[in-house]
Amino acid sequence: MRNSGIENFSENYYITYSHNQVNEPSSSMSVKNNASRLAREPLIERSPIDFNVVVDTSQLTVDFGKCKSVLNNQPASFTIDTKENVGPNDIRVVITSPSGHHIQPKIINTQTNLSRIEYTPTEIGEYYIDIFFANQLVKGSPFKCNVFDPSKIKMMPTFSGFVDQLVKFEVDASQAGTGQLEIAVENGRIPCTFSNQGNLRFIPCFTPREPGKHEISVKFNNHDVPGSPFFCNIVDLSRLTIPDINQPYSVYKTNVIELNSSDLNNNDITLKLTSPSGMQVPISRSITPYNTLKVTFQPVEIGSHRLEVTYDGIDISGSPFEIKVYDASKIVVSEIKGSEVNKPCEFTIDAGNAGEGQLEIAINDGLIKNQVKQIRPGQYAVSFLPTKQDTYVIDVRFNDEQVPECPKRIFVRDFNSARLSRQIDDSQLVGEQAWFSLSGIYDINELEVKVKSPSGQEFIPKIQKINSEDCRIEWIPYELGSYTVLAHYHGNTIKGMPFKIKTFDPKRVQVYNINDGLVFKSNMFCVDASQAGEGSLEIGISCNGQYIPNQVKPIGNSKFEVHFLPQEAVIHYANISFNSIPVKNSPFAIKIIDTNLVIAQGKALTSAIVNSTSSFEILTGNAGGGSLRATITGPKGENIPLKLNQQTNGDYTCEYTPYSVGSYRIDVLYSNQPISGSPFYVKVFDPQSVEITNLPTELNIETASLIEVDLRKAGNVNFDVKITSPTGIDVPVDIEGQGLKQIHFTPKEYGSYRISVLIDEQNLNGTPLYLNCTDAVLPSAHGDGLLHGIEDKPAYFFVDSQGLKGNLEVNIEGPQHFTKNVIERQLDGSYMVKYTPVEVGLFKIYIKWNGKEINGSPFVSYVLNPEKVKIVGGWQSILDYNNCLNLKLYEEKTIDFDTTDAGPGTLSCSILAPGNTKLPFKLDNQGSFYTLNFSALYEGEYKIHLLWDNHVLPNTPITARTTHLSDLNRVEISGYGIHEAKINQETDFIVDGSRAGDLHGLPEIRFTGTRCDIDVRLQQIGQNIYRCSYTPQIPGAYLLSIKWNERQIGDSPYKVNIGMNSDPSKVIVSGEGIKMGVIGQDIKALIDTRRAGPGELTAHCMGPQKVAFCEFFDHKDGTFTLFVKPQESGKHVLQIKYNDEHVPGSPFIIKIVGPPDATKVKVMGPGICYGVLNNYKSKFICETKGAGAGQLTVRIRGPKGAFRVEMQRESQKDRTIYCKFDPTEAGDYQINVKWSGQHVPGSPFNVHIFNTDEELEHFLRSNPEAAYAVQQQQIQNQLIS
């Protein structure tokens, strides 16, 4: 501390000082009086004085940006700006590693107030850095530093793969610390995804679309990981090709043929070359740096050679190839005659001894047109017309090889202005290339072209030089609206500029509100073209290949409502195009249904038993393939569960279980429309609630009898009673009452009466009943033994003599034997009869009193044996080792019974669920076989009580318990094979029940089709996991049903489409028919499917308003000729599909024009008029605009025969054709002008050429009509010029 001075003001002292060592915790100061004045005075009281120094750390600045994330084992540093003049001892830094250890940093003072802290981390993880200044913690401490190490990343690369197949590799970043992992394939050009395997382990994958080496870069926090980048070689095995095989080859020279063998083994390629004389030509082969096979040979003969190419012993496509050999040195070119502007330059070429090949004549590298006339085979006369001042280079090549003494040069001059040679269409599709061409552009640097977009943005399009005077301007419009194009050449606006084009985008046409419809009911959907630009919207509704009427109603802002009235219950298609191009997803399928064809049938539509499953059928037939929905409403308005099962034929089975009596409502909707008869009303009743309240013990002959049955708790039921006399006659009954039924009848016969109580035409449980009818004045018999008995057990009945005296005689006759009986007299005078039946069946009991049968004799006793009621398969088949029946919640259980040997009787059942509640069940029988069906609805123990004719079966009641629940909803079905497959190609899918709980058995799989079924093979690949594979043989639509534990799983049944194993991309379409055509005339296209595999070829051509008829001619070799007959002019869209997929180039845009009309062709010019030979102008013009599509032919015959006619036009689309001929002598000339074989107006033109002007004038004076025609033609010629 430096004392700055002391000032005395009265009794006070003021001290000033500066503190230099801020790292000292405190300072002291001795204060004295001024030494000069108070030299011997003692220290002032309380001196020295101690005090603490507080430093303001908020002024410090820590530059920590580069240390937030650093590399492990690499030096790291940051700086501290103290803003004060202090030393390094004022700063203290504590660095704590992830493991808790401290790192000693190095503090360097780089400037007076700037310190750099350096340290080297040795652990991966998060470091904490505490910074102290003057023992005070700096604001922001502790600072965090993430330390990572890319070298710890382990990568398992993949170095090879295939086009259109997934390529995977592995990356393990678990030991590298925190950071960002970046994976790029081909600098990000190819999308790459990855799956997270957990613990920072990843599997990146990508799908290459083209062959070659693909660079794969893997970076961690922008640092390359070990092994990155690496290269993966992608191979395309599609084909072995020989490009440019049709080019000619030079004799005596080393020629090269390069085979594009991709990544194939070149050692498997064999080649053989044979000369025209049959000699084998030596060849040599080598592998190029581009992995192609290079073949060299040196022919010594002129002519066609034969090249055979095989791969592994098999000819490749096109083999053997024809190799044409030539000798360009045999070509002789004469000297050039003529060198004046606008006058022909001529020379001859002799190629007779050079062999076959392409003779190329290029004037100024082909920029100048030339005309070639054959003098004799192999000899040609060539002429061209120079049109501007320039050096003209005449180059003659034979098969692209320069011939001797070429090129030749001559010099001429001229100048032409630039012009628009090909204008773009007024409408242009967004996203597709737009272009036009300019002619007369010799210096492209002087050309300025600008395009203004609809948004007002100007840009310069791509300019491409075509030749010395032509260029092509192209760009791709991405905006909707009007584009303006302006071009200047040498500062002048080019003629025809500026011009505008309007763009459109069919993809932006939206179609919505497309819904299923009903037959004979108007169907409507909407089309919104407001975002698609300007254009024409074409809408057609087709049904069974025929178009039906529709009405389009504008609703504003380029939006429309489309209405049509369907007449058939089939799928209708809405074909929607914008400017003749189909909109997205067109055609749209609309299901049309007919609810009158949907029929519901079955007893369950009218009546059902409570707690019992009932079912009915719904037949959809040819209703149109709509969606079916059925609901059931209970008596209180509650929804009742209904199970809807679709059958393989498309019909449905509906099941439901009512749980209370009353009236139920069933609604059946087909595509949200009620079917015929819907809603249905069902009466649900409970036969278990029916009680017989009044039943006499016996009947008296000729005495009215009454039986009462209480139905009041059973609901609304169909009730009936059937009483059968001992002789089998139906006894008339009278039924009275509503809820309590009173049955009145009078027995007329003695014996046992059978009384059947029928509820909904079924016997009430416990019936039929048997009552004995006797005479009151005779002895009577009674007792259970008269009615029924049990095999091998005593049966008893009693005979009451009623005080009468006599002799009792009893005989009992069984089905096979008589049964002994014992008669015992009782104290009251009655008799007890005992017998033991030894067989089951009907026993007749004959009772006689004094030799006469008493009333009711013979009595019929039904003898049975409950122990002979058998479980089909035995009790052990349904019970476990604890004699317990295992159940699963909600899973239907079935038990089958065989009562063949149990005697006459009826099987009945009751099931008590947990809580002693009754469980609903279903008990059906067919003869002596019964089937019991029920489902456990609660967890716990059940008791199943079984009785045979009211006798308890042995081993009953059966104890049943629920086991662990299996959840079939958790069974997963996955794989390509549940949706579609190709014939003769194995396809699979996976059934995964590993998460579904306790499953039994195997999945049950049925694969059915209209023509055949498909076998499915199961392979277990895990616990309850199965791979299911199949190989279809016949294409078509199939139904795949998958069940487990007798229940459908997933979305089963699945609709699987089996298609042909084909590749539509290999279908080749060629011919002029895919470019343009004429109304009413067939246009043709050749379609080659030989390399595409088996499949179905279809074509559909739509014009602006009408469908063009399409027909195929099958050549039986995999090729077809397509005939299309357009009915209207304009753009047509031709869709060609193979197995319902577009072939390359489809859809094709075809321009259809009107038929040729020769009457619209106009011929004018001096060349069709009289004239004088030495100054005769032989030019004339043929204007074909408006004449439709056709071909112009001009034939001229002079005094000595035919003349050659030169014809040319400015461009291919120009309809004006310039004609010229060169007459060499005077005489009569006939000019025949035809358009598609028909003479045009005025043709043939008869022209006489005179030797002198005097001869012409004399002729015109003597022929006024000819003079007038010449005058009119001269006027017309002036207008043309």
Side-chain angles (χ1 to χ4, degrees):
M1 182 177 69
R2 178 171 56 86
N3 188 353
S4 299
I6 302 176
E7 295 182 15
N8 182 7
F9 299 93
S10 297
E11 299 298 326
N12 299 322
Y13 289 88
Y14 296 89
I15 301 101
T16 60
Y17 68 94
S18 61
H19 193 79
N20 295 325
Q21 298 298 324
V22 298
N23 59 338
E24 296 180 1
S26 63
S27 297
S28 63
M29 181 176 184
S30 298
V31 181
K32 296 183 179 180
N33 291 326
N34 193 298
S36 62
R37 296 171 58 197
L38 302 171
R40 293 180 295 276
E41 290 293 325
L43 292 173
I44 296 176
E45 187 180 357
R46 292 183 289 180
S47 176
I49 303 171
D50 294 329
F51 57 94
N52 293 324
V53 178
V54 178
V55 180
D56 184 6
T57 63
S58 64
Q59 300 299 319
L60 273 71
T61 302
V62 180
D63 186 2
F64 199 72
K66 296 182 180 179
C67 276
K68 290 184 179 179
S69 183
V70 300
L71 285 169
N72 190 33
N73 293 318
Q74 295 293 323
S77 66
F78 60 92
T79 61
I80 301 174
D81 188 353
T82 62
K83 303 290 195 300
E84 295 288 344
N85 185 17
V86 297
N89 295 331
D90 297 328
I91 299 173
R92 184 164 59 94
V93 179
V94 178
I95 302 177
T96 306
S97 71
S99 64
H101 295 88
H102 293 293
I103 297 177
Q104 183 62 40
K106 183 178 182 181
I107 302 175
I108 301 172
N109 262 20
T110 58
Q111 297 178 14
T112 303
N113 59 342
L114 191 66
S115 299
R116 183 172 76 252
I117 315 300
E118 295 181 351
Y119 65 99
T120 301
T122 59
E123 297 180 32
I124 296 173
E126 193 170 57
Y127 281 70
Y128 289 88
I129 302 177
D130 295 280
I131 303 174
F132 296 87
F133 182 68
N135 286 333
Q136 296 184 39
L137 196 64
V138 173
K139 183 180 180 180
S141 292
F143 295 89
K144 296 179 181 180
C145 173
N146 174 47
V147 178
F148 64 94
D149 191 349
S151 67
K152 299 295 184 180
I153 292 182
K154 298 178 182 179
M155 182 171 61
M156 285 161 278
T158 299
F159 298 103
S160 63
F162 300 99
V163 171
D164 294 330
Q165 294 189 23
L166 202 64
V167 178
K168 299 180 180 180
F169 59 95
E170 297 183 17
V171 178
D172 182 357
S174 59
Q175 305 299 321
T178 304
Q180 183 174 0
L181 186 67
E182 303 174 28
I183 301 173
V185 181
E186 287 292 282
N187 293 323
R189 184 172 59 86
I190 298 178
C192 180
T193 61
F194 61 87
S195 60
N196 193 342
Q197 304 298 304
N199 195 24
L200 297 178
R201 289 178 171 88
F202 308 92
I203 297 181
C205 54
F206 65 96
T207 302
R209 300 301 182 190
E210 57 187 21
K213 285 189 177 181
H214 287 55
E215 183 183 29
I216 302 172
S217 171
V218 182
K219 294 187 176 182
F220 187 69
N221 284 341
N222 208 29
H223 291 270
D224 282 322
V225 306
S228 173
F230 67 93
F231 293 88
C232 181
N233 187 35
I234 304 301
V235 179
D236 187 356
L237 300 177
S238 61
R239 58 179 177 263
L240 171 64
T241 60
I242 307 179
D244 302 326
I245 189 62
N246 294 321
Q247 71 178 28
Y249 298 88
S250 182
V251 72
Y252 302 122
K253 292 184 179 180
T254 300
N255 296 278
V256 177
I257 297 177
E258 195 166 298
L259 284 75
N260 184 10
S261 56
S262 299
D263 294 326
L264 300 178
N265 187 356
N266 291 302
N267 293 327
D268 291 334
I269 301 175
T270 304
L271 302 102
K272 179 181 178 182
L273 181 62
T274 307
S275 70
S277 64
M279 300 296 293
Q280 188 167 344
V281 180
I283 61 175
S284 61
R285 50 194 289 169
S286 61
I287 305 300
T288 70
Y290 304 102
N291 198 28
T292 59
L293 181 61
K294 180 179 179 181
V295 178
T296 58
F297 64 98
Q298 190 176 63
V300 295
E301 299 180 37
I302 299 174
S304 294
H305 290 56
R306 175 188 176 95
L307 176 63
E308 301 175 38
V309 183
T310 61
Y311 184 81
D312 197 18
I314 301 174
D315 285 334
I316 71 169
S317 178
S319 178
F321 300 94
E322 183 182 16
I323 305 296
K324 295 181 179 180
V325 178
Y326 68 95
D327 189 354
S329 64
K330 302 292 185 180
I331 305 293
V332 178
V333 181
S334 69
E335 293 298 324
I336 302 171
K337 298 178 179 179
S339 59
E340 297 182 13
V341 176
N342 291 324
K343 289 188 178 181
C345 295
E346 299 175 344
F347 59 94
T348 61
I349 300 174
D350 187 357
N353 299 319
E356 291 188 38
Q358 179 76 28
L359 185 64
E360 301 175 51
I361 305 166
I363 314 298
N364 286 0
D365 293 330
L367 299 178
I368 305 300
K369 297 179 183 179
N370 61 80
Q371 295 180 346
V372 180
K373 179 180 179 181
Q374 185 176 14
I375 303 173
R376 62 180 61 88
Q379 292 188 359
Y380 305 91
V382 184
S383 64
F384 68 93
L385 185 68
T387 57
K388 66 176 181 178
Q389 179 178 319
D390 201 351
T391 298
Y392 287 77
V393 180
I394 296 90
D395 190 12
V396 180
R397 291 177 174 268
F398 190 63
N399 292 331
D400 202 33
E401 184 176 340
Q402 204 166 59
V403 304
E405 299 183 5
C406 281
K408 298 176 182 288
R409 288 176 172 80
I410 61 172
F411 182 77
V412 291
R413 300 174 177 273
D414 199 6
F415 178 80
N416 287 324
S417 62
R419 62 189 182 279
L420 185 66
S421 60
R422 194 272 183 187
Q423 185 169 336
I424 197 170
D425 293 338
D426 293 339
S427 295
Q428 182 66 32
L429 187 63
V430 168
E432 288 197 358
Q433 189 181 77
W435 68 275
F436 63 92
S437 59
L438 297 173
S439 293
I441 308 297
Y442 302 102
D443 186 359
I444 198 171
N445 295 321
E446 296 296 329
L447 177 64
E448 181 184 5
V449 183
K450 290 184 179 180
V451 179
K452 188 176 183 180
S453 70
S455 62
Q457 181 181 2
E458 287 190 353
F459 59 92
I460 298 175
K462 179 181 179 181
I463 303 175
Q464 181 180 358
K465 201 82 168 81
I466 301 174
N467 50 43
S468 63
E469 63 171 332
D470 294 328
C471 63
R472 174 185 171 111
I473 293 88
E474 58 186 39
W475 78 97
I476 298 178
Y478 292 103
E479 297 182 33
L480 282 175
S482 179
Y483 282 76
T484 303
V485 182
L486 180 63
H488 294 86
Y489 186 58
H490 282 286
N492 298 320
T493 301
I494 297 176
K495 185 178 180 181
M497 296 289 177
F499 65 85
K500 296 180 180 292
I501 64 166
K502 295 179 180 180
T503 58
F504 66 95
D505 189 356
K507 296 179 181 178
R508 300 191 185 184
V509 176
Q510 298 182 2
V511 183
Y512 55 95
N513 290 342
I514 290 186
N515 299 308
D516 297 347
L518 297 175
V519 173
F520 304 116
K521 186 175 181 180
S522 178
N523 190 289
M524 185 271 289
F525 60 89
C526 297
V527 181
D528 183 357
S530 59
Q531 305 299 319
E534 293 188 20
S536 175
L537 188 66
E538 301 102 28
I539 302 173
I541 310 296
S542 63
C543 165
N544 289 329
Q546 301 293 326
Y547 279 86
I548 65 173
N550 67 84
Q551 295 81 39
V552 180
K553 177 182 177 183
I555 57 177
N557 194 25
S558 297
K559 299 179 180 179
F560 306 89
E561 288 183 354
V562 182
H563 300 261
F564 68 95
L565 186 66
Q567 308 289 325
E568 299 179 62
V570 295
I571 295 178
H572 288 54
Y573 293 94
N575 298 276
I576 303 175
S577 300
F578 192 71
N579 284 341
S580 300
I581 299 177
V583 305
K584 185 178 181 181
N585 298 326
S586 179
F588 300 87
I590 304 174
K591 290 183 180 178
I592 302 299
I593 65 170
D594 189 351
T595 57
N596 293 324
L597 298 179
V598 182
I599 301 172
Q601 62 184 23
K603 187 176 180 180
L605 291 170
T606 56
S607 63
I609 299 175
V610 72
N611 294 327
S612 179
T613 301
S614 301
S615 64
F616 60 92
E617 292 183 322
I618 301 176
L619 310 179
T620 57
N622 297 319
S627 59
L628 182 71
R629 184 165 62 92
T631 60
I632 301 182
T633 307
K636 298 180 182 180
E638 70 275 18
N639 291 327
I640 305 300
L642 180 139
K643 186 176 182 181
L644 196 64
N645 298 320
Q646 187 174 17
Q647 308 302 308
T648 56
N649 60 358
D651 296 336
Y652 293 82
T653 299
C654 305
E655 296 181 352
Y656 67 95
T657 303
Y659 294 104
S660 62
V661 298
S663 179
Y664 286 66
R665 169 175 170 154
I666 300 179
D667 291 275
V668 181
L669 303 177
Y670 196 67
S671 288
N672 294 324
Q673 300 295 323
I675 70 170
S676 178
S678 180
F680 302 90
Y681 293 93
V682 184
K683 298 176 182 178
V684 177
F685 59 93
D686 185 4
Q688 303 292 333
S689 299
V690 177
E691 298 180 9
I692 301 176
T693 58
N694 182 27
L695 181 67
T697 57
E698 65 178 4
L699 305 175
N700 293 325
I701 196 75
E702 298 293 344
T703 303
S705 300
L706 173 65
I707 301 175
E708 291 182 338
V709 180
D710 191 353
L711 305 177
R712 286 173 289 190
K713 296 181 181 179
N716 191 356
V717 301
N718 296 322
F719 176 78
D720 197 8
V721 175
K722 183 178 181 182
I723 301 177
T724 307
S725 71
T727 60
I729 299 175
D730 290 338
V731 178
V733 297
D734 183 17
I735 303 175
E736 298 178 352
Q738 294 297 324
L740 182 63
K741 298 292 185 180
Q742 294 180 334
I743 298 96
H744 300 272
F745 66 98
T746 301
K748 302 293 185 181
E749 302 177 24
Y750 294 104
S752 178
Y753 280 74
R754 179 186 177 97
I755 302 173
S756 299
V757 179
L758 303 176
I759 302 298
D760 202 35
E761 300 180 358
Q762 299 292 326
N763 277 321
L764 178 66
N765 195 19
T767 66
L769 304 171
Y770 299 91
L771 296 177
N772 191 34
C773 180
T774 62
D775 194 336
V777 299
L778 294 174
S780 61
H782 63 87
D784 289 343
L786 291 172
L787 303 176
H788 49 76
I790 298 177
E791 183 183 14
D792 294 329
K793 291 186 179 181
Y796 303 89
F797 63 89
F798 300 90
V799 178
D800 185 2
S801 64
Q802 300 189 18
L804 299 175
K805 294 181 179 182
N807 182 29
L808 177 63
E809 180 184 353
V810 177
N811 292 305
I812 301 175
E813 180 183 354
Q816 302 293 333
H817 310 282
F818 283 93
T819 302
K820 294 180 180 181
N821 62 84
V822 178
I823 302 174
E824 296 180 3
R825 186 176 177 87
Q826 304 297 304
L827 295 177
D828 59 357
S830 63
Y831 298 88
M832 182 183 72
V833 181
K834 172 185 176 183
Y835 69 96
T836 301
V838 294
E839 57 182 332
V840 297
L842 299 178
F843 282 70
K844 292 183 179 180
I845 303 176
Y846 297 90
I847 304 176
K848 293 183 180 180
W849 182 259
N850 295 328
K852 182 180 179 180
E853 287 188 332
I854 70 173
N855 292 332
S857 178
F859 297 91
V860 178
S861 175
Y862 294 85
V863 177
L864 52 90
N865 188 349
E867 296 180 358
K868 292 188 175 181
V869 176
K870 302 175 182 177
I871 298 289
V872 176
W875 290 95
Q876 69 278 4
S877 66
I878 65 170
L879 302 179
D880 61 11
Y881 62 91
N882 291 321
N883 289 327
C884 180
L885 177 64
N886 293 319
L887 303 177
K888 292 184 179 179
L889 278 179
Y890 310 114
E891 181 179 285
E892 188 176 63
K893 191 70 176 180
T894 300
I895 305 176
D896 295 316
F897 298 88
D898 182 1
T899 65
T900 304
D901 301 327
T906 304
L907 184 67
S908 59
C909 176
S910 65
I911 304 177
L912 292 180
N916 287 329
T917 58
K918 288 186 177 182
L919 183 72
F921 62 88
K922 185 178 181 181
L923 185 62
D924 297 323
N925 75 296
Q926 292 184 350
S928 59
F929 290 91
Y930 287 78
T931 300
L932 173 63
N933 294 288
F934 65 94
S935 298
L937 304 179
Y938 320 98
E939 289 278 6
E941 186 174 277
Y942 292 76
K943 294 292 184 180
I944 304 172
H945 297 269
L946 298 168
L947 302 115
W948 179 246
D949 208 40
N950 294 324
H951 293 278
V952 177
L953 297 188
N955 301 323
T956 63
I958 301 172
T959 301
R961 297 186 183 90
T962 55
T963 59
H964 177 67
L965 175 65
S966 63
D967 187 0
L968 291 177
N969 292 328
R970 302 187 71 179
V971 177
E972 297 180 357
I973 312 296
S974 61
Y976 177 80
I978 61 175
H979 301 296
E980 59 181 330
K982 301 293 186 181
I983 64 169
N984 298 321
Q985 180 177 321
E986 185 179 71
T987 310
D988 61 8
F989 58 91
I990 302 298
V991 179
D992 186 354
S994 59
R995 301 173 57 210
D998 187 14
L999 294 173
H1000 296 285
L1002 300 175
E1004 302 173 25
I1005 300 176
R1006 291 192 61 202
F1007 209 155
T1008 59
T1010 56
R1011 298 172 60 185
C1012 69
D1013 295 345
I1014 299 177
D1015 294 331
V1016 180
R1017 300 175 294 280
L1018 268 69
Q1019 178 187 2
Q1020 187 170 5
I1021 58 177
Q1023 179 64 32
N1024 285 335
I1025 304 176
Y1026 296 88
R1027 176 181 178 269
C1028 308
S1029 60
Y1030 61 92
T1031 304
Q1033 303 296 324
I1034 299 176
Y1038 289 78
L1039 204 63
L1040 176 61
S1041 172
I1042 306 176
K1043 289 184 178 181
W1044 208 329
N1045 291 352
E1046 299 181 355
R1047 284 181 56 190
Q1048 296 276 3
I1049 58 178
D1051 295 327
S1052 176
Y1054 297 90
K1055 292 184 178 179
V1056 183
N1057 182 37
I1058 306 299
M1060 303 295 290
N1061 189 10
S1062 60
D1063 185 359
S1065 66
K1066 294 185 178 180
V1067 175
I1068 301 173
V1069 182
S1070 59
E1072 293 299 322
I1074 58 175
K1075 297 179 181 178
M1076 64 176 299
V1078 179
I1079 295 176
Q1081 295 182 9
D1082 285 342
I1083 55 179
K1084 299 179 183 179
L1086 180 62
I1087 303 174
D1088 188 348
T1089 67
R1090 289 175 292 188
R1091 299 178 59 198
E1096 181 183 12
L1097 185 66
T1098 59
H1100 179 266
C1101 185
M1102 184 67 197
Q1105 300 292 334
K1106 300 177 182 179
V1107 177
F1109 176 73
C1110 298
E1111 183 180 14
F1112 286 108
F1113 177 78
D1114 189 353
H1115 297 282
K1116 307 299 182 182
D1117 60 353
T1119 63
F1120 301 82
T1121 299
L1122 171 62
F1123 297 90
V1124 181
K1125 192 167 186 178
Q1127 305 297 320
E1128 58 183 335
S1129 61
K1131 289 184 178 179
H1132 282 56
V1133 180
L1134 173 62
Q1135 297 183 4
I1136 301 178
K1137 295 183 178 181
Y1138 197 63
N1139 281 342
D1140 207 30
E1141 292 185 30
H1142 282 287
V1143 304
S1146 177
F1148 301 92
I1149 305 300
I1150 306 175
K1151 185 177 181 180
I1152 304 299
V1153 298
D1157 186 358
T1159 62
K1160 298 294 180 65
V1161 177
K1162 299 178 181 178
V1163 182
M1164 61 196 76
I1168 58 172
C1169 292
Y1170 301 102
V1172 179
L1173 181 63
N1174 59 359
N1175 61 2
Y1176 186 73
K1177 296 181 179 180
S1178 63
K1179 297 181 180 179
F1180 60 92
I1181 298 173
C1182 297
E1183 177 60 65
T1184 65
K1185 186 175 182 180
Q1191 182 178 3
L1192 183 73
T1193 58
V1194 179
R1195 299 288 185 267
I1196 301 178
R1197 295 191 64 85
K1200 294 185 178 180
F1203 266 78
R1204 182 177 179 273
V1205 182
E1206 298 178 11
M1207 295 191 295
Q1208 65 178 1
R1209 48 183 165 184
E1210 292 295 327
S1211 67
Q1212 280 298 109
K1213 292 190 176 182
D1214 198 347
R1215 304 287 300 208
T1216 303
I1217 302 172
Y1218 299 90
C1219 304
K1220 178 185 177 183
F1221 66 99
D1222 293 323
T1224 57
E1225 58 183 314
D1228 290 323
Y1229 291 78
Q1230 185 181 68
I1231 304 174
N1232 293 271
V1233 182
K1234 294 183 179 181
W1235 182 248
S1236 290
Q1238 300 293 324
H1239 280 285
V1240 305
S1243 176
F1245 299 93
N1246 294 309
V1247 177
H1248 188 86
I1249 299 178
F1250 298 88
N1251 283 315
T1252 63
D1253 291 333
E1254 291 77 11
E1255 291 180 2
L1256 173 61
E1257 292 176 1
H1258 179 268
F1259 173 77
L1260 294 178
R1261 284 196 299 268
S1262 60
N1263 292 275
E1265 293 181 0
Y1268 177 77
V1270 170
Q1271 184 181 11
Q1272 294 299 317
Q1273 188 63 52
Q1274 289 175 348
I1275 295 173
Q1276 199 172 45
N1277 295 340
Q1278 291 176 359
L1279 293 176
I1280 294 174
S1281 60

